[in-house]
Amino acid sequence: MKKILVLGGAHIDRRGMIEAETTPGASNPGHWMEEAGGGGFNAARNLSRLGFEVRIISPRGGDVTGEAVAAAARQAGVEDTPFVFLDRRTPSYTAILERDGNLVIALADMDLYKLFTPRRLRVRSVREAIRSTDIILCDANLPEDTLTAIGLAARVCGKMLAAIAISPAKAVKLKPAFADIDILFMNEAEARALTGENPDDIRQWPDMFRTAGLRGGVVTSGSKQAIAFDRNQAATLVPPRVDDVKDVTGAGDAMASGYLSAIAEGATITQALRLGAAAAALTVQSPFATSPDLSKNGVELMSGLVPEAETLA
């Protein structure tokens, strides 16, 4: 069983779903739900359900919220080894969603992640975790200098490094580490923030990122065409139509999980893109950021409904 080490966000997600047509500047009827989340944490749980041995290291507050995150990790079979700051509050993400599941606005209270400094990577247990893993996955919740240090550690230890962009504002922190990142998962807004470009054709992204020094990545655009690339080739596909969308939260993390799991097992980027799209499709049919039904068999079955990907030169 391959090992994956996740260094990134693990916090509480609070999501309010508006039940009728959204009326800006007014009180809207709706309901709240709360669950453990975070880009890295969502991916960690998905990858555990897909059959990998997963460990996550993330800052955590000494509060009830932190205990809820730990309980969710145990339930998903993830080894949870946080840096706990007893006098601090566990980070949180609060979002308002339209009734179709699309995001209206969100607020991220993430100051605690600033305490995951490069010095933390020199802790003996963290150094041992990096040496003993097969793949490292980080996310842009962490400070820029920490992400750069993670890239250096991955290079020195000869480990594959993947990263999740999280948001346009946070994605730019990954730029100094481009040369060490094997796969960067992002949406089009994050890709634009990283390059300063807005191409008319999604097929232009690979060359733009290669020129910027990135080895490979996946750029998604919701229900529209997605593209994956490495140093030598690229592949595109249109995600499968999903009629019963419950919540789009976690779809990008699921894409990252499905794609990375396939690459870890030797798949081509074309095959990996289809499995990533299948994992995302399963996830948006669930009201949770990580679907309890996500499994290796489930993703393989769903991939039968995913259109064929087109391989580009």
Side-chain angles (χ1 to χ4, degrees):
M1 182 185 298
K2 287 198 172 183
K3 297 180 180 180
I4 298 179
L5 174 64
V6 179
L7 305 170
H11 49 256
I12 284 293
D13 275 348
R14 301 182 181 94
R15 300 195 297 282
M17 178 73 74
I18 296 172
E19 294 175 350
E21 289 295 328
T22 303
T23 305
S27 176
N28 288 264
H31 61 273
W32 281 100
M33 73 170 294
E34 183 174 292
E35 64 174 331
F41 191 63
N42 290 341
R45 288 186 289 173
N46 288 334
L47 288 162
S48 179
R49 289 168 176 150
L50 291 172
F52 294 87
E53 185 178 330
V54 184
R55 176 177 177 178
I56 186 167
I57 302 175
S58 181
R60 197 82 44 80
D63 51 15
V64 174
T65 299
E67 293 171 3
V69 174
R74 287 193 299 271
Q75 185 177 31
V78 174
E79 182 182 0
D80 182 37
T81 55
F83 296 121
V84 179
F85 299 86
L86 295 176
D87 61 339
R88 299 298 184 106
R89 186 173 61 241
T90 297
S92 65
Y93 171 82
T94 303
I96 301 296
L97 306 172
E98 294 184 299
R99 63 178 178 177
D100 62 2
N102 286 309
L103 179 68
V104 177
I105 195 169
L107 187 150
D109 179 4
M110 306 286 179
D111 278 354
L112 189 65
Y113 291 132
K114 295 176 183 177
L115 299 185
F116 196 145
T117 62
R119 181 174 60 86
R120 298 281 172 183
L121 299 175
R122 298 196 290 271
V123 174
R124 182 176 180 179
S125 61
V126 179
R127 287 189 284 111
E128 290 176 349
I130 290 173
R131 283 197 298 265
S132 64
T133 197
D134 296 300
I135 298 171
I136 301 171
L137 173 64
C138 64
D139 73 31
N141 281 307
L142 303 185
E144 180 178 303
D145 54 352
T146 303
L147 294 167
T148 303
I150 290 170
L152 176 60
R155 187 199 325 157
V156 169
C157 295
K159 307 297 181 181
M160 175 186 288
L161 177 61
I164 299 174
I166 299 296
S167 72
K170 294 180 179 181
V172 294
K173 295 187 289 185
L174 290 162
K175 290 181 72 172
F178 266 12
D180 295 316
I181 296 174
D182 295 285
I183 310 169
L184 175 56
F185 298 99
M186 60 199 133
N187 60 33
E188 279 201 298
E190 293 153 357
R192 289 193 293 269
L194 283 162
T195 62
E197 302 288 347
N198 187 19
D200 296 327
D201 188 343
I202 194 172
R203 298 170 186 235
Q204 295 175 267
W205 285 123
D207 283 342
M208 288 181 180
F209 277 109
R210 289 173 186 141
T211 300
L214 188 65
R215 299 177 183 178
V218 177
V219 182
T220 59
S221 184
S223 61
K224 299 178 183 178
Q225 192 175 40
I227 189 164
F229 64 95
D230 59 18
R231 288 172 171 172
N232 303 311
Q233 61 179 353
T236 66
L237 67 69
V238 177
R241 178 183 174 86
V242 179
D243 295 320
D244 188 22
V245 175
K246 296 290 196 307
D247 192 335
V248 299
T249 305
D253 305 326
M255 164 62 86
S257 306
Y259 187 95
L260 186 59
S261 69
I263 292 295
E265 295 178 347
T268 65
I269 63 169
T270 302
Q271 295 166 330
L273 188 57
R274 296 187 73 241
L275 290 176
L282 278 172
T283 299
V284 299
Q285 294 177 69
S286 166
F288 305 106
T290 61
S291 171
D293 298 326
L294 189 73
S295 66
K296 190 171 183 178
N297 287 339
V299 170
E300 288 176 352
L301 286 173
M302 178 60 78
S303 69
L305 302 178
V306 177
E308 290 293 329
E310 178 187 358
T311 302
L312 309 177

